[in-house]
Amino acid sequence: MEVKMLAPNLRVEILPGLPANVPIFQFTDKPGRIYSEGYVIHVISEEYGDWIGNIQRCRLPTFFFGVYNHPNEDHICVVSSGEAYIII
């Protein structure tokens, strides 16, 4: 499991899959759509609490994935299948 320290008091773990029996925030290019497992992250934040995000991914394995600091340090940038999501 990859763990990234981002902005102060913010940590992100890249999870190998969706955990059972916990609330999941879905991130997709089509709001309201629920889909299968994507790029799964666990955000640990002193300010916002802990939460799990399931970010949509396409079926092609060659696209870029990653979690990065946003310049304002209050948000994170998650890239899944080449699509960027600004979160928090």
Side-chain angles (χ1 to χ4, degrees):
M1 174 180 344
E2 180 183 351
V3 177
K4 295 188 107 176
M5 292 299 294
L6 297 176
N9 304 316
L10 181 63
R11 187 172 58 147
V12 176
E13 298 174 348
I14 311 304
L15 301 180
L18 288 169
N21 302 318
V22 296
I24 307 287
F25 289 97
Q26 300 279 346
F27 295 90
T28 177
D29 60 353
K30 295 178 176 74
R33 180 176 175 217
I34 296 177
Y35 53 91
S36 62
E37 182 176 284
Y39 188 54
V40 183
I41 61 171
H42 177 202
V43 177
I44 301 110
S45 167
E46 289 182 15
E47 185 174 350
Y48 300 105
D50 293 11
W51 54 272
I52 305 293
N54 186 31
I55 295 92
Q56 177 183 355
R57 71 166 67 201
C58 75
R59 301 271 179 223
L60 300 174
T62 57
F63 282 105
F64 186 69
F65 296 90
V67 179
Y68 305 94
N69 270 328
H70 187 277
N72 71 9
E73 295 189 352
D74 289 330
H75 296 80
I76 58 174
C77 179
V78 179
V79 179
S80 177
S81 297
E83 294 285 332
Y85 298 83
I86 306 300
I87 299 174
I88 294 185

